[in-house]
């Protein structure tokens, strides 16, 4: 059982900050209609709230606020090297949302942003135009939409996923990945499946979830959601990322992989992503300061090109053990290792 | 610790009496009142005074900034006459009418169930009524607030600006009581007294909650070993970087349910003469901490 209750968004904001020119967007109106109990505060620019100095993300996770804003350009960014591109030369990511309703200890967002409040960009039409323009320049393009957030977990507030799925007909070369820890089965079941819209489910042993993934659904709930996605015909990616090498998890991972492939039909899984805990060193240091007692940030790592990561010999020994179990069910060409 | 910045003594009287504060008779540029875990300063009217008094208070040697809840409390005017005199609210947003800079308090969203929120505009002169308000206040962006009262004072922006330099966003808050709808030359002091009295109980309830539920960031696990760490650092003449490395190892050791003090105390009687000896000793100490078995 998870240690913390799930925090998928359902009218949970006491205060919603709204940029003056964001009010009239349909996305804003939809979100505000779901939060009639919230205090609405007009602001000039989301950065006035989001970029304040001396914020504490841990306090803000306990008392979250929402900020509705109009995003200026750019709307797309090149996919980072620390993330898997799944064989696509044209790999981009985009952010409808900044920050996530969950509170995972290992998450880089805590180091990248000075605030843990969620920013929701409401000018989705601008995003659509930019994505359309870029997708036309490439025969095949992968767009990750859920990196700096968990888009499916925000669905109760506004369904960006549903809106984006409606754009896909105009963008035939585009594949979109929605990465999630959410157990939002309703979204999965009510969305028309498309080969271009991939649900990537982050899965970890329950002991890892209990230790590091606060407010997220438990493993069994996520497995049920994966099964629902497969039944509904959605392309499904399994993300075993980040993997932790702590000795206390050793047996748990062994049992975990067996359990996953006992519960899920491997032949129906599109592909698998596997990677270890890694983070930009500046983000790492920032998080270590406000999580001083997290053993995760006290462990020994190696730093290569400003990326903090598990030591290579440990990566080697752990990954060979895990990949052996994964390859027993998923062909190597469908397993992407970072 | 609970700290207040209040413009005039009249506004502070109720809190001074309630907390049993005594005036600090040492010479201070601003009147300071102290009690057990409570400190209050009377700043004078205006944002500059509020900023200076806030800075001064937070710079006092006995103030531990990590553990302070700082409140700017006082009177305000209301844009709308539908708000009753004595209406107490917490400012979630403070706007400086001169610079148009906005300040936001994360503590305000915590107090919502207990006290309503407001938007506060900090003026350089007393609010005389809607017709005399600065131009920017008449924009729909400011006045179309169906839910959030628009209030006016003269200290909040200075207070927030100073507080934001020293404290985290969850540590300071403006609490204001409506005393008028625009300053009239015949404002009665009775109104001021009544307003403060009718706001006082919700105010004190709220303050009690703020103190009882104050957010405390995690203290590093090695803090309990600071005395022995200090002594050891002196004995071994560790550099700052060495002290930091040792502290991190002790923290890790404590979090892994080991007994770092046992290891540290064994090194208290050693001495080092050269830098190399210090390095060797530190490495041995760290190695012992790592190899120690959990309790």
């Amino acid at each position: 059982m998870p240690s913390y209750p799930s925090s998928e968004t359902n009218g949970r904001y006491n205060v919603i900050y709204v940029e003056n020119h964001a009010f009239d967007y349909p996305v804003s109106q939809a979100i505000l209609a779901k939060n009639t109990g919230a205090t609405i505060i007009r602001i000039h620019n989301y950065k006035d709230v989001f970029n304040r100095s001396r914020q504490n993300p841990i306090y803000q996770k306990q008392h979250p606020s929402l900020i509705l804003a109009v995003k200026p350009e750019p709307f797309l960014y090149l996919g980072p090297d620390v993330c898997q591109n799944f064989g696509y030369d044209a790999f981009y990511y985009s952010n409808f949302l900044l920050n996530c309703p969950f509170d995972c200890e290992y998450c880089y967002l805590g180091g990248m942003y000075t605030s843990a409040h969620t920013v929701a960009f409401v000018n989705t039409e601008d995003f659509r135009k930019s994505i359309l323009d870029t997708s036309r320049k490439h025969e095949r393009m992968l767009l990750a939409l859920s990196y700096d957030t968990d888009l499916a977990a925000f669905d109760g507030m506004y369904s960006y996923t549903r809106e984006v799925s409606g754009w896909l007909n105009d963008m035939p070369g585009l594949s979109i990945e929605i990465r999630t820890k959410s157990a939002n089965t309703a979204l999965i079941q009510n969305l028309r499946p498309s080969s271009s819209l991939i649900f990537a489910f982050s899965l970890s042993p329950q002991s890892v979830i209990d230790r590091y993934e606060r407010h997220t659904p438990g493993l069994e709930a996520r497995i049920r959601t994966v099964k629902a996605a497969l039944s509904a015909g959605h392309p499904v990616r399994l993300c075993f990322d980040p993997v932790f090498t702590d000795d206390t998890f050793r047996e748990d991972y062994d049992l975990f992989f067996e359990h996953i492939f006992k519960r899920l039909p491997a032949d129906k899984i599109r592909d698998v992503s596997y990677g270890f805990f890694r983070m930009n060193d500046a983000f790492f240091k920032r998080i270590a300061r406000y999580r001083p007692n997290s053993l995760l940030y006290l462990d020994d790592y190696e730093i290569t090109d400003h990326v903090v990561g598990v030591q290579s010999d440990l990566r080697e020994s752990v990954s060979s053990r895990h990949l052996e179990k994964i390859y027993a069910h998923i062909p190597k060409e469908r397993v992407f290792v970072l | 610790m609970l700290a207040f910045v209040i413009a005039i003594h009249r506004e502070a009287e109720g809190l001074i009496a309630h907390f049993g504060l005594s005036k600090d008779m040492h010479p201070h540029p601003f009147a300071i009142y102290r009690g057990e875990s409570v400190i209050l300063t009377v700043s004078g009217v205006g944002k500059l005074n509020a900023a200076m008094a806030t800075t001064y208070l937070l710079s006092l040697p006995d103030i531990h900034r990590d553990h302070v809840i700082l409140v700017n409390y006082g009177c305000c005017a209301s844009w709308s006459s539908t708000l009753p005199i004595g209406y107490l609210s917490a400012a979630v947003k403070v706007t400086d009418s001169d610079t148009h800079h906005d300040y936001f308090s994360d503590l305000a969203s915590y107090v919502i169930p207990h006290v309503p929120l407001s938007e506060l505009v900090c003026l350089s002169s007393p609010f005389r009524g809607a017709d005399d308000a600065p131009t920017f206040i008449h924009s729909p962006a400011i006045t179309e607030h169906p839910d959030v009262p628009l209030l006016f004072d003269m200290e909040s922006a200075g207070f927030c600006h100073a507080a934001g330099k020293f404290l985290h966003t969850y540590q300071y808050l403006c609490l204001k009581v409506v005393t008028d709808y625009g300053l009239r030359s015949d404002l009665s002091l009775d109104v001021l007294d009544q307003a403060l009295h009718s706001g006082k109980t919700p105010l004190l309830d709220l303050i009690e909650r703020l103190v009882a539920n104050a957010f405390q960031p995690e203290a590093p696990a090695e803090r309990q070993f600071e005395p022995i760490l200090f002594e050891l650092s002196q004995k071994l003449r560790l550099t700052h970087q060495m002290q930091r490395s040792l502290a991190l190892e002790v923290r890790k050791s404590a979090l892994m349910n080991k007994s770092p003090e046992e290891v540290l105390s064994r090194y208290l009687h050693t001495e080092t003469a050269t830098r190399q000896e210090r390095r060797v000793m530190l490495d041995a100490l760290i190695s012992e901490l790592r190899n120690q078995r959990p309790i």
Side-chain angles (χ1 to χ4, degrees), chain A residues 5 25 107 176 205 210 282 301 323:
Chain A
Y25 284 84
C107 183
I176 289 179
D210 289 342
Y301 296 102
L323 289 173

Side-chain angles (χ1 to χ4, degrees), chain A residues 32 35 46 55 79 81 96 102 105 137 154 175 198 212 220 225 229-230 236 241 257 259 284 317 319 322:
Chain A
L32 293 175
N35 288 276
Y46 79 93
Q55 298 180 76
D81 293 335
F96 290 114
F102 302 135
E105 196 166 317
K137 295 174 187 162
F154 193 78
S175 291
I198 304 159
Y212 294 134
E220 283 311 305
T225 311
L230 290 170
V236 164
D241 187 353
F257 290 118
H259 182 68
F284 185 95
S317 62
S319 65
H322 291 172

Side-chain angles (χ1 to χ4, degrees), chain A residues 74-94:
Chain A
F75 299 99
L76 293 182
Y77 303 90
L78 285 173
D81 293 335
V82 290
C83 296
Q84 188 55 262
N85 64 14
F86 299 97
Y88 285 79
D89 291 331
F91 169 41
Y92 294 84
Y93 77 96
S94 187

Side-chain angles (χ1 to χ4, degrees), chain B residues 196-227:
Chain B
L196 284 174
H197 186 264
S198 64
K200 197 168 136 192
T201 303
L203 168 69
L204 293 175
D205 283 344
L206 176 62
I207 287 169
E208 267 176 38
R209 284 179 197 277
L210 285 175
V211 171
N213 298 298
F215 175 76
Q216 291 295 342
E218 267 184 272
E222 77 275 15
R223 189 158 288 177
Q224 57 185 306
F225 304 108
E226 267 174 4

Side-chain angles (χ1 to χ4, degrees), chain A residues 242-261:
Chain A
V243 167
F244 297 93
T245 55
D246 192 310
D247 258 344
T248 56
F249 295 136
R250 187 182 159 100
E251 260 187 54
D252 294 340
Y253 271 106
D254 289 344
L255 294 170
F256 166 72
F257 290 118
E258 283 171 25
H259 182 68
I260 289 294
F261 293 112

Side-chain angles (χ1 to χ4, degrees), chain A residues 100-174:
Chain A
C100 179
F102 302 135
D103 182 19
C104 298
E105 196 166 317
Y106 55 72
C107 183
Y108 67 92
L109 293 178
M112 189 157 97
Y113 298 130
T114 51
S115 179
H117 292 325
T118 301
V119 178
F121 293 115
V122 299
N123 51 327
T124 50
E125 179 56 24
D126 293 334
F127 280 85
R128 190 194 68 80
K129 284 180 186 155
S130 183
I131 293 168
L132 179 65
D133 286 344
T134 307
S135 71
R136 282 177 174 163
K137 295 174 187 162
H138 304 284
E139 203 177 307
R140 288 174 77 237
M141 174 177 150
L142 175 63
L143 176 64
L145 283 182
S146 198
Y147 273 179
D148 290 358
T149 188
D150 191 314
L151 214 63
F154 193 78
D155 215 65
M157 200 62 57
Y158 183 78
S159 189
Y160 286 103
T161 309
R162 194 176 302 281
E163 180 163 352
V164 160
S165 72
W167 302 346
L168 291 171
N169 285 340
D170 298 332
M171 306 177 196
L174 178 66

Side-chain angles (χ1 to χ4, degrees), chain A residues 14-15 17 20 39-44 48-49 52-56 59-60 63 117 292-293 298 300, chain B residues 92-93 102 104 106-107 109-110 112 141 148 164 166-170 215 218-221 251-252 255 290:
Chain A
N14 283 338
V15 175
Y17 300 95
N20 287 324
T39 299
I40 310 302
I41 301 294
R42 287 181 184 258
I43 59 175
H44 298 295
D48 294 342
V49 181
R52 290 171 296 162
S53 55
R54 305 184 72 85
Q55 298 180 76
N56 185 293
Y59 176 86
Q60 290 174 337
H63 306 282
H117 292 325
N293 297 326
L298 290 169
D300 294 323
Chain B
V92 64
K93 175 182 163 190
D102 294 328
F104 301 93
D106 280 341
L107 198 49
S109 63
Y110 165 75
I112 276 179
V148 186
F166 297 99
L167 304 178
H168 288 91
T169 54
Y170 61 84
F215 175 76
E218 267 184 272
R251 184 188 304 176
K252 210 165 145 183
L255 291 169
R290 288 187 175 195

